[in-house]
Amino acid sequence: MDYFDYSYKHNYIEFSSNIYRVGTYHYNWHGETEILILLKGQMEMSCNGETFTMEPLDVVIISPQVGHATLALEEDVIAFAIHVGNEFYQQYDPDFGAYQFVLRSDNSTRHNQFFTTLRHHAAMTMLLMTKGESPVHRMWIEHHYLALSGDVFREFDPIKKVHENARPGDMKPATFDKMIAYIDEHYEQKIELEDIAKIGGYNVAYTSQFFKKQMGISFVEYVLRLRLREATLRLINTDEAVARIASDCGFADVKAFNVAFKKHFRITPTEYRKQVKNIGRKTTLQDWKEIISVENQDVLNLLHSFLSYEDDSRAKDELEFMSKKLEHLKEKLADEFIMNFLLREILTHKTAFHNLLIVHIVQILLFVVHNKM
């Protein structure tokens, strides 16, 4: 079975793309520009100290070395991600590696020209990837990829900021990676903020501020989400008892697990497991991502729906032009109505004096109408 998970490399073009089911919590900090399109459901995104909710069709574009995390707010949330290698943009702008930016859609911009066109090129790229890499397909893949990456560069260029170090204060990259790695390896055990502070050589208050600023959530919430992430994977892929999963994932007891799970997913672990089995998912796990099968018809339908799109700005200009033409036509019709009325008067009143007078009036009106046109 094939899955929506592809990498492409040809000459100076290199990128990867996948479509996956968003889990409970996943934190990323990498050296690539990420373009994420939410296809289905609601998702919470914590990015660069800001937390916001993404709706279906929303897009977020994140520069390299900007920490971000996702949390599914519903049971079946699907996202489409494209990762652009740092070297690609550096070919055009050598300083790209020093830039930091986050560009995202909202209710007012979700369907504007940029985001609509971006979804179109992204969908075309993915659909072409599923067909294989024949010479013709490679040409079209690169066509849509270059169009997409060019539009992205144009949009982030005015808002980019130069940061020597994206991490707060004097926190070193190696220290940060060490702290995160420790949490990732020990979240199933009892773990305290003091333990993490000691690893970095910082005090507890500073370490706490770091988590809140960089991830948009507290240290406690971060650990909880890692535990929930592991628990959901076990609920999906094993038949282990809920109590056993709760204990293995670091929860004090099954009651604490049920409360935390229901708070984040609005259903109990048992209900979640039942819903997943009813869906009959065709997925594969890769780097904590549940990759979607290319046979998923809902996803295919969504991708195809992005292929036809209207240029909103052009449509707006055309609407304004047609509105002006309509107003002009209304004025013209009003003038013609007056002339028709006067002509009927000429035919009705037979006296020469009246006829002569009305003819002069008609001639004056015709002159006025002619000059208005």
Side-chain angles (χ1 to χ4, degrees):
M1 184 181 294
D2 202 4
Y3 296 88
F4 287 112
D5 183 47
Y6 300 98
S7 295
Y8 186 89
K9 185 174 183 179
H10 182 233
N11 294 331
Y12 66 97
I13 294 177
E14 184 175 2
F15 67 93
S16 63
S17 59
N18 51 54
I19 297 177
Y20 62 97
R21 187 166 277 105
V22 181
T24 55
Y25 187 72
H26 186 66
Y27 180 77
N28 290 290
W29 188 319
H30 48 69
E32 302 168 318
T33 299
E34 180 168 332
I35 302 166
L36 189 144
I37 305 168
L38 186 61
L39 299 180
K40 183 180 179 182
Q42 278 191 329
M43 181 178 78
E44 179 187 281
M45 168 71 78
S46 298
C47 183
N48 211 25
E50 180 187 10
T51 300
F52 52 89
T53 299
M54 294 181 66
E55 303 286 344
L57 306 188
D58 268 338
V59 180
V60 61
I61 304 166
I62 306 167
S63 66
Q65 306 306 331
V66 170
H68 54 283
T70 55
L71 171 69
L73 299 179
E74 299 176 15
E75 194 278 328
D76 195 26
V77 179
I78 298 176
F80 176 7
I82 298 176
H83 290 94
V84 180
N86 198 24
E87 296 79 9
F88 176 78
Y89 281 125
Q90 283 184 326
Q91 295 173 97
Y92 304 96
D93 185 344
D95 297 325
F96 178 78
Y99 299 154
Q100 184 181 95
F101 57 85
V102 175
L103 179 64
R104 65 184 179 94
S105 64
D106 55 28
N107 289 336
S108 64
T109 61
R110 187 176 298 129
H111 298 286
N112 71 10
Q113 181 183 358
F114 167 64
F115 289 115
T116 300
T117 305
L118 183 149
R119 289 189 292 266
H120 167 79
H121 290 305
M124 283 298 302
T125 301
M126 178 60 84
L127 290 170
L128 285 164
M129 295 285 279
T130 65
K131 297 180 182 297
E133 290 190 19
S134 69
V136 173
H137 286 155
R138 282 202 302 269
M139 291 179 193
W140 279 108
I141 287 169
E142 293 180 12
H143 162 75
H144 288 288
Y145 171 75
L146 289 172
L148 180 151
S149 55
D151 286 347
V152 168
F153 189 94
R154 183 193 66 234
E155 292 295 319
F156 75 64
D157 191 54
I159 65 169
K160 66 180 185 290
K161 297 178 182 178
V162 177
H163 280 266
E164 191 172 317
N165 191 342
R167 295 163 175 82
D170 58 353
M171 179 102 34
K172 304 298 181 186
T175 303
F176 169 80
D177 293 340
K178 204 176 192 180
M179 294 164 68
I180 294 299
Y182 182 87
I183 299 171
D184 288 347
E185 291 173 10
H186 297 88
Y187 66 85
E188 296 173 348
Q189 306 166 14
K190 185 177 180 181
I191 185 171
E192 303 289 346
L193 185 58
E194 289 81 356
D195 302 325
I196 307 305
K198 287 177 183 177
I199 292 171
Y202 300 99
N203 61 45
V204 173
Y206 180 83
T207 305
S208 176
Q209 290 174 4
F210 159 69
F211 271 91
K212 188 67 176 176
K213 181 177 180 180
Q214 185 56 41
M215 302 184 194
I217 57 175
S218 67
F219 163 77
V220 172
E221 181 70 10
Y222 178 72
V223 174
L224 174 61
R225 291 184 179 187
L226 291 181
R227 290 171 175 169
L228 287 172
R229 180 183 71 184
E230 175 64 21
T232 55
L233 289 175
R234 294 197 185 191
L235 287 168
I236 293 168
N237 297 292
T238 75
D239 293 321
E240 292 178 316
V242 172
R244 175 66 181 272
I245 292 174
S247 176
D248 289 350
C249 292
F251 290 92
D253 51 46
V254 70
K255 182 179 179 181
F257 175 48
N258 281 327
V259 170
F261 198 97
K262 192 165 186 178
K263 178 182 177 182
H264 281 78
F265 295 100
R266 302 184 181 93
I267 57 175
T268 66
T270 302
E271 291 168 337
Y272 178 85
R273 174 178 268 170
K274 181 186 273 188
Q275 285 188 14
V276 169
K277 288 183 178 179
N278 289 338
I279 292 171
R281 292 180 177 174
K282 292 181 179 180
T283 58
T284 185
L285 290 176
Q286 181 180 346
D287 189 27
W288 297 107
K289 286 184 178 179
E290 193 179 347
I291 307 297
I292 303 295
S293 165
V294 295
E295 297 177 5
N296 187 303
Q297 197 58 50
D298 288 342
V299 171
L300 287 170
N301 291 340
L302 279 168
L303 293 178
H304 282 285
S305 73
F306 297 155
L307 301 189
S308 298
Y309 68 96
E310 293 290 337
D311 185 331
D312 287 356
S313 62
R314 186 175 65 184
K316 184 179 179 182
D317 290 341
E318 290 178 353
L319 181 60
E320 290 179 357
F321 174 77
M322 293 305 297
S323 296
K324 290 179 181 178
K325 292 287 288 183
L326 181 60
E327 289 301 319
H328 178 72
L329 182 61
K330 284 180 179 178
E331 292 177 4
K332 186 177 178 182
L333 288 173
D335 292 335
E336 288 181 354
F337 174 80
I338 294 172
M339 287 188 292
N340 289 333
F341 171 76
L342 292 173
L343 287 172
R344 283 197 302 272
E345 287 296 306
I346 291 173
L347 296 174
T348 304
H349 299 84
K350 301 298 184 180
T351 67
F353 175 79
H354 282 155
N355 284 346
L356 182 61
L357 178 62
I358 293 172
V359 166
H360 282 303
I361 293 172
V362 170
Q363 288 175 338
I364 293 169
L365 287 171
L366 285 170
F367 175 80
V368 172
V369 171
H370 177 73
N371 282 291
K372 287 174 76 175
M373 296 173 65

